[in-house]
């Protein structure tokens, strides 16, 4: 028999490709190492104490608390300290950046920093929206001048800076000369009617006009405010957009254009053209009401409830997003892929059961059973 001599293998012959400078091989080894590392990190994330509830609480609770603080600061402190509100916003953004740089180890907690930044920005935007739409009118009416025993024939220039007026007895809204104007920009019917008393003739100039939206017909019907209440002789004067005292100039764009005021101006021109009303110099628009203080306080309560609603909605959204982020993209993708597979199998099974061949087979079997019963 021939003899086989076994020579000792060199170390390099065990792995002949270990010392080869192959870019493709190195890329593949790097990909395998990366996949192994990601799998190990994922297993560590799943096995860590606290698990899903703790992660969801951290990812959802932190942004929700920051959003609540930011919207409260922006809503209730912007009127007196606008620059302080903006500095607070920048500080929260800096905090979010620090959190992002600090907790960048595990995959699930790396979302905390971006979530905090989004919560801070959303709180600022929501707070300014509530302030300019509801709280700014409250502050302006509270700080404005109030006049009593006002005659409707008085000049409008006297009432610049006035928020509330109480007219003399006998002052009414001339409903018969009311008009409605459909504003395409506002998307509403702009209603307007002159305010007169018994001493005024149709040729006298009119200074005050009661206004409202979607509370009149095209001609001769006006139900805005407390017009139907005979005891109502007060009104809230329409205030121009605030440009002083609490508004940062480079944030003036946030208030938007005065679409409602432009609609009332167009309605006034229509009323003047239809009835030939003589409009006094510097006419004033007003909201006819019995209790103007109740409307003023309604702005504040509306702002409070708006803030509560914003916080509740953002908290619900944070819980959903935090739960998804705590699961991880791999788990979510696997569950979505599994759900799509189940849906596809169910759809294909239903399609097979309702196919024409399947139906004809069922009908044939039914006839066969009926034939031999």
């Amino acid at each position: 028999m021939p003899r086989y001599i076994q020579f000792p293998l060199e170390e390099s012959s065990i792995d002949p490709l270990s010392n080869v400078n192959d870019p493709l091989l190195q890329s593949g080894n790097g990909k395998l190492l990366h996949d192994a590392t990601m799998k190990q990190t994922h297993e560590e994330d799943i096995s860590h104490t606290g698990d899903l509830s703790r992660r969801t609480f951290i990812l959802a609770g932190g942004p929700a608390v920051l959003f609540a603080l930011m919207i409260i600061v922006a809503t209730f402190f912007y009127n007196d300290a606008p620059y302080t509100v903006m500095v607070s916003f920048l500080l929260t953004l800096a905090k979010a950046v620090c959190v992002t740089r600090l907790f960048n180890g595990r995959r699930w907690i790396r979302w905390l920093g971006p979530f905090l930044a989004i919560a801070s920005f959303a709180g600022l935007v929501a707070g300014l929206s509530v302030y300019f739409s509801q709280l700014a009118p409250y502050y302006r009416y509270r700080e404005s001048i109030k006049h009593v025993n006002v005659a409707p024939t008085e000049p409008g220039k006297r009432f610049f800076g006035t928020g509330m007026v109480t007219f003399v007895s006998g002052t009414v809204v001339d409903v018969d000369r009311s008009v409605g104007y459909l504003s395409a920009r506002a998307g509403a019917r702009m209603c307007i009617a002159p305010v007169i008393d018994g001493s005024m003739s149709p040729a006298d100039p009119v200074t005050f006009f009661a206004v409202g939206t979607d509370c009149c017909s095209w001609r001769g019907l006006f139900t805005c405010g407390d017009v139907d209440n005979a005891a109502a002789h007060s009104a809230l004067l329409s205030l121009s957009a605030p440009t002083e005292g609490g508004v940062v100039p480079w944030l003036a764009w946030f208030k938007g254009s005065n679409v409602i005021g432009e609609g009332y101006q167009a309605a006034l021109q229509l009323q003047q053209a239809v009835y030939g009303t003589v409009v006094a110099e510097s006419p004033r628009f007003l909201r006819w009401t019995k209790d103007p203080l109740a409307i003023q306080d309604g702005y504040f309560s509306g702002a409070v409830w708006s803030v509560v609603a914003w916080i509740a909605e953002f908290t619900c959204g944070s819980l959903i997003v935090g739960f998804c982020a705590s699961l991880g993209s791999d788990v979510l993708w696997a569950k979505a892929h599994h759900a799509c597979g189940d849906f596809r199998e169910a759809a294909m099974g239903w399609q097979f059961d309702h196919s024409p061949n399947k139906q004809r087979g069922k009908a044939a079997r039914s006839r066969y059973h009926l034939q031999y019963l």
Side-chain angles (χ1 to χ4, degrees):
M1 289 182 66
R3 294 184 177 181
Y4 296 94
I5 301 175
Q6 186 176 2
F7 293 95
L9 296 177
E10 297 181 359
E11 185 179 357
S12 60
S13 63
I14 298 176
D15 187 6
L17 298 179
S18 60
N19 296 326
V20 179
N21 292 327
D22 188 354
L24 183 61
L25 181 61
Q26 293 178 357
S27 176
N29 292 334
K31 183 66 169 59
L32 291 175
L33 181 61
H34 177 268
D35 293 342
T37 304
M38 294 297 293
K39 182 179 180 180
Q40 182 181 2
T41 304
H42 178 63
E43 293 175 353
E44 290 178 357
D45 286 345
I46 294 178
S47 62
H48 258 283
T49 58
D51 242 6
L52 196 59
S53 59
R54 180 177 61 87
R55 300 177 188 179
T56 304
F57 177 78
I58 293 175
L59 293 179
V65 171
L66 184 59
F67 176 84
L69 293 176
M70 197 65 227
I71 191 175
I72 291 174
V73 170
T75 302
F76 298 103
F77 293 94
Y78 185 81
N79 185 75
D80 298 325
Y83 290 101
T84 303
V85 172
M86 301 311 300
V87 171
S88 301
F89 169 67
L90 295 178
L91 290 177
T92 56
L93 284 184
K95 177 182 178 181
V97 173
C98 293
V99 170
T100 303
R101 297 177 62 89
L102 183 62
F103 300 105
N104 58 354
R106 300 190 179 279
R107 292 184 302 166
W108 65 271
I109 205 171
R110 66 185 173 91
W111 293 104
L112 182 59
F115 286 172
L116 290 176
I118 294 174
S120 178
F121 180 75
L124 176 68
V125 173
L128 292 180
S129 176
V130 174
Y131 169 78
F132 283 115
S133 63
Q134 298 183 24
L135 207 57
Y138 166 77
Y139 286 129
R140 299 206 69 201
Y141 281 122
R142 190 186 65 176
E143 299 169 359
S144 62
I145 305 172
K146 300 172 180 60
H147 290 276
V148 295
N149 295 326
V150 176
T153 56
E154 296 185 30
K157 290 183 178 180
R158 179 189 171 190
F159 301 97
F160 284 150
T162 302
M164 301 180 189
V165 294
T166 301
F167 291 98
V168 296
S169 179
T171 304
V172 295
V173 177
D174 191 357
V175 178
D176 296 332
R177 288 195 291 170
S178 64
V179 299
Y181 170 79
L182 183 60
S183 174
R185 293 189 62 192
R189 182 182 298 180
M190 317 306 294
C191 306
I192 190 169
V195 177
I196 61 174
D197 62 5
S199 64
M200 296 177 62
S201 65
D204 291 336
V206 179
T207 302
F208 299 97
F209 291 87
V211 295
T213 56
D214 295 328
C215 51
C216 65
S217 64
W218 301 115
R219 302 289 186 273
L221 179 62
F222 188 88
T223 59
C224 304
D226 295 332
V227 172
D228 298 331
N229 191 339
H233 294 93
S234 301
L236 284 174
L237 294 183
S238 177
L239 299 174
S240 59
T243 56
E244 73 283 339
V247 178
V248 178
W250 47 271
L251 274 181
W253 60 271
F254 195 87
K255 298 174 297 183
S257 59
N258 190 16
V259 177
I260 301 298
E262 294 174 359
Y264 288 149
Q265 290 290 344
L268 177 61
Q269 296 177 3
L270 178 62
Q271 199 277 342
Q272 186 178 9
V274 171
Y275 296 104
T277 304
V278 180
V279 180
E281 184 180 0
S282 302
R284 299 303 307 270
F285 300 135
L286 55 85
R287 182 177 178 180
W288 193 261
T289 180
K290 180 182 178 181
D291 189 1
L293 291 177
I295 299 179
Q296 171 189 304
D297 296 337
Y299 282 114
F300 186 84
S301 60
V304 172
W305 284 111
S306 296
V307 169
V308 172
W310 271 107
I311 294 175
E313 293 176 1
F314 189 87
T315 302
C316 294
S318 296
L319 287 173
I320 297 175
V321 175
F323 176 76
C324 296
S326 62
L327 284 178
S329 59
D330 294 339
V331 177
L332 287 177
W333 176 253
K335 290 183 178 295
H337 185 70
H338 182 69
C340 291
D342 293 342
F343 176 78
R344 189 182 302 108
E345 291 178 0
M348 292 179 65
W350 182 90
Q351 187 177 12
F352 176 74
D353 291 338
H354 293 76
S355 62
N357 294 332
K358 188 74 174 180
Q359 296 299 325
R360 284 194 294 268
K362 289 182 178 180
R365 286 194 298 273
S366 299
R367 289 194 300 270
Y368 176 80
H369 287 304
L370 289 175
Q371 183 178 359
Y372 292 97
L373 281 177

